[in-house]
Amino acid sequence: MTTTDLAPIAVRAAAPAEVPLPTGTDGLTWRPLTRDDVPALARLVTAVEDADEAPYRTSAEEIDDEFDGDWKDHARDTIAGVDDDGVIRAYARANQPPGDTRVVRVFLDGAVDPAWRGRGIGRQVLAWETARGRQLLAASGKELPARLAVFLHDNADAAIRLVRAGGFTPARFYAEMRRPLDVELPPIEVPDGLRIVPWTPELDEQVRLAHNEAFADHWGSEPRTAQEWVQGRSMFAPTWSFAAIDDATGEVAGYLLSARFEHDWPLLGYKAGYTDLLGVRRAWRGRRLGSALLATVMAAYRADGMDMAELGVDTANQSGAHRLYEGLGYSVFHSSTMFSIEL
C-alpha cells in the first residue's frame, strides 16, 4: 500500500469523535436549524449579503431548497446561534453530496450577523464547520481523496480573511459573465443530425446522465444522483431550458438548463436569464453545439423581455468555455473563489 493509499484513511482516523457547539459566544445559545427557520435565516443571509456587497441576494425559496435531500442530517449538520430574543445571529451548515466517486467533498456554509461581528463568533463557527466536515468525510465510508470547500464571492473580505486564517487556501476561481441582448444575437446554427428541443420532465433523467458524462473530466465535478439532480430547483426555468437530440440515436448530446433569479433584478438594475448548466457529451464535441445551445437560449431570453444573458464559468476550465463565452459577447462582471482544505 502506498503513501497515497494511506492518506484518506489517515484523514478519517483524524475525525473528531464529538463536535462541541461554539463556546465563548456570550449572548448566543446554539441549536440545529430547522425548516421553520427559513424566514429568519433569509433575513440574516440578506443582511450579510447587503453588508458584503454581494452581486445577488439569496431568496427564501433557495434557502428552503437546502433542507431537501434525505442524505442530510440537519440535526447534526447545522447550527444556529440565537440571541435572547430568539433572533438567529449566526449559522453554519455542512453538506456531503452522496454521489461523489473521485473526491469525497464536504461543502461548508455559514455567516454571522454584521451587527455581531468582531466578537470571535466567526472563528467558532468555522471551527465547528471544519470539525463536522471531517466527521462527514469519515462517515462517508469512501476511501478517496477528500476536500473541505467554502465558496465566497470576492467582495466578502472579512469572510475571506477568516477562512484563510482557518487553513483554507484558494483552490479555484470563478467568473460571472453577462451579455446584452439588445444587440445582434449570434445565429442559431444547429449541427447536422442534431436538433434542439425544449426541456421536458420526460427528458430530465437523460439530461442528468448526459451531465454526469459531460462533466466527468471537469475539475471538482462529481456525478449527481437522481435525488441530488432535482434538489434545489426553486429557481429552475423550464421554458428557458433545452436539450440537443441526436436524430440517429435519440440520445441527448448536449443540454442547457436555465434559472430565473427574478428577485435579483432590482439589485442588478436589469432583467436577466441565467444559464445554470451547459454541457456537451464528448462524442458530440467540436461541432459548435455549445454555441448553438447558447444562441437558442439568448433568443428565448430576449423573447421574454430579458435585458441580459448571464452565466458562471470556472476560469481554469480546460474545455475552453471561457473563450467560447467571450466569443459570443459575454464579459466578466464579478468573480468568486473556492477555498479548500485538501485532505
Side-chain angles (χ1 to χ4, degrees):
M1 183 175 287
T2 67
T3 302
T4 302
D5 293 330
L6 287 169
I9 299 172
V11 167
R12 284 144 183 76
E18 299 292 336
V19 181
L21 293 173
T23 58
T25 55
D26 291 344
L28 296 181
T29 56
W30 296 89
R31 61 166 175 80
L33 285 165
T34 73
R35 206 161 211 142
D36 291 339
D37 292 318
V38 167
L41 190 55
R43 287 191 291 271
L44 171 58
V45 170
T46 295
V48 171
E49 291 170 347
D50 283 342
D52 292 342
E53 299 181 341
Y56 53 80
R57 294 296 178 267
T58 304
S59 67
E61 292 82 0
E62 292 170 276
I63 291 171
D64 187 74
D65 285 342
E66 293 299 322
F67 287 90
D68 291 339
D70 63 10
W71 69 91
K72 298 177 182 178
D73 182 352
H74 302 296
R76 300 186 65 197
D77 298 344
T78 71
I79 54 170
V82 181
D83 70 13
D84 291 340
D85 296 320
V87 178
I88 297 176
R89 299 296 185 178
Y91 78 94
R93 297 180 292 209
N95 177 34
Q96 199 282 295
D100 293 355
T101 60
R102 294 177 291 271
V103 176
V104 59
R105 307 162 301 165
V106 174
F107 295 101
L108 308 179
D109 170 38
V112 177
D113 188 321
W116 283 63
R117 290 177 178 175
R119 308 185 190 189
I121 299 170
R123 290 193 298 274
Q124 292 282 338
V125 166
L126 183 63
W128 180 90
E129 289 177 311
T130 303
R132 180 58 185 149
R134 287 179 178 272
Q135 278 192 327
L136 285 169
L137 294 176
S140 74
K142 298 175 181 179
E143 298 303 335
L144 299 168
R147 175 179 301 130
L148 300 175
V150 177
F151 287 92
L152 294 170
H153 71 88
D154 288 351
N155 291 349
D157 295 334
I160 290 170
R161 289 193 297 270
L162 180 69
V163 299
R164 283 181 176 273
F168 290 78
T169 57
R172 210 70 173 180
F173 303 93
Y174 301 88
E176 292 295 311
M177 306 182 76
R178 63 189 174 198
R179 185 209 196 273
L181 298 173
D182 61 352
V183 297
E184 184 179 1
L185 299 184
I188 301 173
E189 299 176 339
V190 182
D192 290 343
L194 299 175
R195 55 192 166 91
I196 294 176
V197 303
W199 175 92
T200 65
E202 292 73 24
L203 281 172
D204 198 45
E205 176 62 6
Q206 292 184 62
V207 172
R208 178 184 75 88
L209 296 174
H211 172 78
N212 286 348
E213 180 185 318
F215 276 76
D217 53 0
H218 286 230
W219 188 94
S221 180
E222 293 290 329
R224 297 195 192 184
T225 65
Q227 190 182 25
E228 284 180 273
W229 181 248
V230 299
Q231 187 264 339
R233 280 200 171 177
S234 62
M235 299 293 111
F236 178 52
T239 60
W240 290 345
S241 300
F242 301 91
I245 306 298
D246 186 304
D247 284 328
T249 65
E251 295 179 80
V252 170
Y255 56 90
L256 185 152
L257 303 184
S258 290
R260 184 183 178 100
F261 297 104
E262 192 166 344
H263 58 278
D264 284 340
W265 297 349
L267 177 70
L268 294 168
Y270 56 82
K271 296 184 292 184
Y274 192 89
T275 297
D276 194 32
L277 290 176
L278 170 66
V280 176
R281 294 171 63 190
R282 181 174 294 276
W284 287 271
R285 292 177 187 170
R287 300 171 63 184
R288 297 189 58 80
L289 178 55
S291 297
L293 285 161
L294 284 166
T296 299
V297 82
M298 284 185 219
Y301 294 156
R302 184 158 75 175
D304 281 350
M306 299 300 103
D307 305 304
M308 292 278 184
E310 294 184 340
L311 48 75
V313 62
D314 178 343
T315 59
N317 190 323
Q318 296 300 309
S319 70
H322 198 281
R323 294 188 301 276
L324 167 65
Y325 304 147
E326 286 184 331
L328 291 172
Y330 289 84
S331 59
V332 174
F333 71 96
H334 193 70
S335 58
S336 60
T337 301
M338 189 193 84
F339 293 83
S340 74
I341 296 176
E342 304 291 324
L343 300 166

